[in-house]
Amino acid sequence: MEDDHRIAAVSEIPDDTTFLFTIRNGFDEEEAILVEQDGEIRAWRNYCQHWTDVRFDKGDGATVRDGELVCGKHGALFEADSGVCTYGPCEGAVLEAVDIAVEDGAVYLTDPEYEFVQRGSSIEYDLSSNRSLGFD
Ligand code: FES
């Protein structure tokens, strides 16, 4: 697996929150999160299916409780392993997956649609409105 696709060591993925990283699709930078549940790691795009301008992880980790990712805005719950919303205003919706692979204790981006940019966010946000600046 190529080093420039390496997102993080498996040991860096927290149990009760998410690991934020930035990917690029053409000229557009976007965010994704890693979530670990029962030893399985998944990657999802970092936005809610209810209001797509709402990020789960705003830079300090999203809440993961009992295997479900919690949207802080209206409390929707998404299964960490399937991405399915089990409760809330977007019940039945499914998160957008990002392809990853785990090899030799590290997580790599394998999704052909995206390039890995960096750990954390590289996108500037206007915190007063919770929207990204200039990339909508
Ligand atoms: S924006 Fe996530 S539940 Fe409403």
Side-chain angles (χ1 to χ4, degrees):
M1 212 67 78
E2 293 173 43
D3 272 357
D4 59 352
H5 293 177
R6 187 180 188 280
I7 302 167
V10 170
S11 58
E12 294 179 279
I13 317 303
D15 285 340
D16 54 357
T17 185
T18 51
F19 183 99
L20 179 67
F21 62 105
T22 304
I23 52 182
R24 182 183 296 121
N25 181 356
F27 293 109
D28 296 328
E29 292 199 350
E30 298 165 2
E31 291 180 345
I33 49 176
L34 297 175
V35 189
E36 198 251 308
Q37 198 214 340
D38 297 334
E40 292 284 322
I41 298 170
R42 301 283 196 295
W44 307 108
R45 291 283 309 284
N46 186 30
Y47 66 86
C48 187
Q49 294 294 308
H50 180 214
W51 288 359
T52 56
D53 62 340
V54 172
R55 306 152 75 205
F56 293 117
D57 187 334
K58 297 179 171 65
D60 52 1
T63 302
V64 180
R65 196 187 302 136
D66 298 331
E68 295 193 299
L69 182 62
V70 182
C71 176
K73 191 79 175 176
H74 308 111
L77 302 177
F78 296 85
E79 290 179 341
D81 56 356
S82 70
V84 173
C85 179
T86 59
Y87 171 83
C90 49
E91 191 170 331
V94 184
L95 297 178
E96 189 181 337
V98 175
D99 295 342
I100 54 164
V102 175
E103 192 176 287
D104 295 334
V107 185
Y108 293 87
L109 180 68
T110 57
D111 199 312
E113 280 191 44
Y114 300 111
E115 290 170 54
F116 177 65
V117 176
Q118 66 178 50
R119 301 152 62 102
S121 180
S122 67
I123 303 167
E124 284 185 45
Y125 285 90
D126 173 356
L127 296 177
S128 63
S129 70
N130 201 23
R131 286 180 160 273
S132 58
L133 296 175
F135 295 108
D136 283 342

